């Protein structure tokens, strides 16, 4: 199964500029009204949707491109977290917390210019395999 990531943005050109400058991504295909970014493990599709428009017919929520919370965010695994942060900041990201050190590595909480949260992770040692495994309930 292939995973495709879709991000709502309010300005396609601004989003392309941010994501290609902040990360090692490039435009794969430009479909006129929306664009595909490639260079990661899964393509990211930037979908322009005006702020204030309904997010779905089943809710009264509207799109808001100020910093917002969502239960889903992107994690970018990097070799040099400090360099990745600097590159993202220069492209327009916001660093929301100082780098924290965990058993698995370093973590930086960030947000893009469209209000989406994302993280940089620099694995140390065996990454998540450094954490003790819990028995599964299966």
């Amino acid at each position: 199964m292939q995973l495709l990531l879709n991000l709502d943005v309010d300005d396609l050109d601004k989003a392309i500029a941010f994501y290609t400058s902040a990360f090692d991504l490039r435009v794969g295909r430009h479909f006129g009204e929306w664009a595909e970014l490639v260079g990661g493990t899964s393509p990211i599709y930037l979908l322009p949707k005006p702020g204030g428009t309904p997010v779905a017919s089943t809710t009264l929520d509207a799109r808001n491109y100020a910093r917002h919370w969502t239960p889903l965010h992107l994690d970018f695994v990097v070799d040099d977290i400090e360099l990745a942060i600097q590159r993202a900041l220069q492209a327009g990201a916001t660093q929301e917390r100082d780098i924290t050190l965990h058993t698995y590595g370093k973590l930086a909480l960030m947000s893009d210019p469209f209000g989406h949260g994302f993280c940089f992770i620099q694995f140390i040692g065996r990454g998540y395999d450094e954490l003790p495994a819990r028995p599964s309930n299966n």
Side-chain angles (χ1 to χ4, degrees):
M1 175 185 333
Q2 183 180 12
L3 176 65
L4 306 176
L5 305 172
N6 295 281
L7 288 177
D8 289 1
V9 298
D10 62 348
D11 183 321
L12 182 60
D13 292 333
K14 180 179 171 184
I16 290 171
F18 173 76
Y19 278 94
T20 58
S21 295
F23 311 103
D24 287 326
L25 301 175
R26 65 189 181 285
V27 175
R29 296 177 284 180
H30 201 297
F31 299 98
E33 292 185 22
W34 51 288
E36 171 190 64
L37 300 179
V38 296
T41 56
S42 295
I44 297 174
Y45 293 89
L46 301 175
L47 309 175
K49 308 281 184 176
T53 58
V55 297
S57 61
T58 56
T59 180
L60 296 176
D61 292 339
R63 287 179 179 82
N64 177 352
Y65 293 104
R67 181 63 175 108
H68 57 274
W69 180 84
T70 178
L72 177 69
H73 68 271
L74 304 177
D75 285 348
F76 293 91
V77 177
V78 298
D79 293 328
D80 184 332
I81 199 165
E82 289 85 1
L83 182 62
I85 290 168
Q86 287 307 311
R87 183 176 177 180
L89 291 173
Q90 290 173 351
T94 300
Q95 185 173 356
E96 298 187 333
R97 187 186 312 167
D98 289 339
I99 297 170
T100 54
L101 183 60
H102 304 269
T103 304
Y104 57 84
K106 297 177 182 179
L107 178 70
L109 279 59
M110 311 285 293
S111 63
D112 73 10
F114 309 95
H116 306 300
F118 68 91
C119 296
F120 285 124
I121 300 175
Q122 180 180 335
F123 286 127
I124 296 173
R126 298 177 300 131
Y128 289 145
D129 288 336
E130 296 288 344
L131 298 171
R134 292 186 184 178
S136 68
N137 293 333
N138 297 341

